[in-house]
Each structure stands twice: as structure tokens, then as C-alpha cells.
Amino acid sequence: RMSGFQINLNPLKEPLGFIKVLEWLASIFAFATCGGFKGQTEIQASCPPKLNENKTITAVFGYPFRLNEASFQPPPGVNVCDVNWKSFVLVGDYSSSAQFYVTFAVFVFLYCIAALLLYVGYTNLYLDSRKLPMIDFVVTLVATFLWLVSTSAWAKALTDIKIATGHNIVQELLPCQKKEALCYFSSVTSMGSLNVSVIFGFLNMILWGGNAWFVYKETSLHSPSNTSAPHSQGGIPPPAGI
């Protein structure tokens, strides 16, 4: 029988609930710093024999980082070296790693909300159940592993994105290779927020890995008499008045 909803903020003062709040916040930073990114890379092109007249060619890219869909754009209304720059794109498709990372972070965000609602609103139900703590423990272990996998994959993709949008693009562009235009790499948008997203990914992995112990203490694996014994060792104290 499901007990009624009754707010009890005591779990938030214990490691089990407090760490869940930190996980919730960290997941927000993880998907926001990656999914909200938009940048561009620029090269300077000049046409022989007027090598002193540089024109800026720009390729705009962002989440989910399908670079092979990011075409180069000359200045509006300007014919640069009689080249159709729009037919040339950046190299690489890193959408699978980026979307896996962001999608998983969003799912974690939603799970944290559900778990906190259970901890705070249905404290008795969580403490008296044998299944809910075990489910929470299994999800925590799986989440720890998936944070490691998704963040590692995204970190590798980010390294490749930096290479694909860096000075190497001059060597990849066909007009630059054929000397139709004299090309120089100009700049690329700072990817500091993407670096932060990787940091938060590994931070999330540490938080979930550490929280596994406190969730484990609530399961019957740690205390076989979990449903009847006082929860003095668990992460959530018994409600007042019991």
C-alpha cells in the first residue's frame, strides 16, 4: 500500500539526499555546456595576383556537431576567387557521441528529480520497501558506468572536433590545395564550455560512484533486516514521530 505524500526535508541533510542534489545540479551543467554550444571557424583567403586583399571565409558549427553539414560562407555578395565556397564543408560527424552524452545527462537530470521526490515526499515508502532501494542501487551503478562511457566518448570526439576546426582545415580545402586561393587560418571560437562539459561528465561519474555506497547501505544486501530494523546506519533518518 502506497503511503501518502508528506514532505520530509531530513533526507536532504543526509549524504544520500544531499549527493543526489549535487548530481542533479551537475547533470544540468553537463548537458547545458555541451548542448548549448555554437561557434565558428574562419580562414582568410586572397586571390592571385591580389594577395594583399584578404577575404574572410566562415564555417559555423555547433551541437550536435555534424561538421560535414557546416559549409563555408564567403562575405555576403562577395565573389572570392571565383570559388563556390558553399559547396565545401568541414570534415567529420561527431553527433553520435555528443547526443549520447547530452541525452544521458538529461535522463539523469529527470531521474534525480524522481529520486528526490521519493526521498522527500515518500520517505516511509522508501525505507519500508526492499525493492526501491535495490532499484536505486542498480540504477546508481549503471549510471556510474554510463557516465564513464559517455564522457570518454565525448572527450575523444571533442579532441577530434578541435582538430577538424583548427588550422588543419586549410590543408583540407580543395581551392587552397589547388592554389585557386591563398589561404590562411584565422581563428576558431573558444571551446572552453565544451572542456567544462567533459569536466562535469567525469565529476558526475565520481558523484554517482561515491553515492553508490550510501544507496547500498539502504538495501537488504547491507542490512538483511532492512524493513524492520532502525535505519541508524542508512542515508535517510526515520521520520519524526515514529
Side-chain angles (χ1 to χ4, degrees):
R1 186 174 60 87
M2 188 171 181
S3 59
F5 180 83
Q6 184 177 2
I7 295 179
N8 177 16
L9 298 181
N10 286 332
L12 300 182
K13 302 176 184 178
E14 298 295 326
L16 185 66
F18 178 72
I19 295 178
K20 191 65 69 182
V21 173
L22 295 181
E23 292 170 347
W24 176 70
L25 292 173
S27 67
I28 295 176
F29 281 102
F31 67 74
T33 51
C34 177
F37 180 84
K38 189 172 184 179
Q40 64 181 29
T41 184
E42 296 179 350
I43 65 170
Q44 297 289 326
S46 57
C47 311
K50 299 179 180 180
L51 299 180
N52 60 334
E53 297 182 4
N54 292 329
K55 303 297 182 181
T56 301
I57 312 295
T58 304
V60 177
F61 62 95
Y63 178 83
F65 302 101
R66 294 188 178 95
L67 300 187
N68 54 357
E69 296 180 2
S71 61
F72 287 88
Q73 302 289 334
V78 178
N79 181 359
V80 182
C81 305
D82 292 323
V83 174
N84 182 18
W85 292 97
K86 295 181 180 180
S87 63
F88 299 97
V89 296
L90 294 172
V91 178
D93 182 356
Y94 306 98
S95 59
S96 58
S97 296
Q99 288 177 321
F100 175 36
Y101 177 82
V102 170
T103 301
F104 175 63
V106 171
F107 275 119
V108 167
F109 165 78
L110 297 175
Y111 178 78
C112 287
I113 293 178
L116 287 171
L117 181 64
L118 179 63
Y119 295 166
V120 173
Y122 297 95
T123 308
N124 285 343
L125 179 64
Y126 186 84
L127 293 178
D128 295 338
S129 173
R130 297 176 64 89
K131 291 182 179 179
L132 290 177
M134 185 61 68
I135 293 173
D136 197 15
F137 178 58
V138 172
V139 171
T140 301
L141 293 180
V142 173
T144 302
F145 174 72
L146 289 180
W147 272 121
L148 173 62
V149 173
S150 63
T151 305
S152 298
W154 168 232
K156 175 60 169 63
L158 177 56
T159 300
D160 294 338
I161 290 170
K162 291 179 179 179
I163 295 174
T165 59
H167 63 273
N168 289 333
I169 60 176
V170 173
Q171 303 171 7
E172 301 290 339
L173 279 173
L174 195 59
C176 301
Q177 294 177 349
K178 292 185 175 181
K179 306 300 182 182
E180 296 179 55
L182 188 62
C183 306
Y184 302 94
F185 176 74
S186 178
S187 65
V188 63
T189 302
S190 172
M191 299 186 192
S193 66
L194 298 182
N195 294 332
V196 171
S197 71
V198 172
I199 294 174
F200 271 102
F202 286 115
L203 175 61
N204 271 287
M205 182 195 70
I206 294 172
L207 284 174
W208 282 84
N211 197 34
W213 165 247
F214 297 102
V215 179
Y216 169 75
K217 290 170 68 176
E218 297 297 332
T219 67
S220 57
L221 297 177
H222 180 260
S223 178
S225 57
N226 188 35
T227 58
S228 59
H231 289 263
S232 59
Q233 299 298 322
I236 300 179
I242 296 181

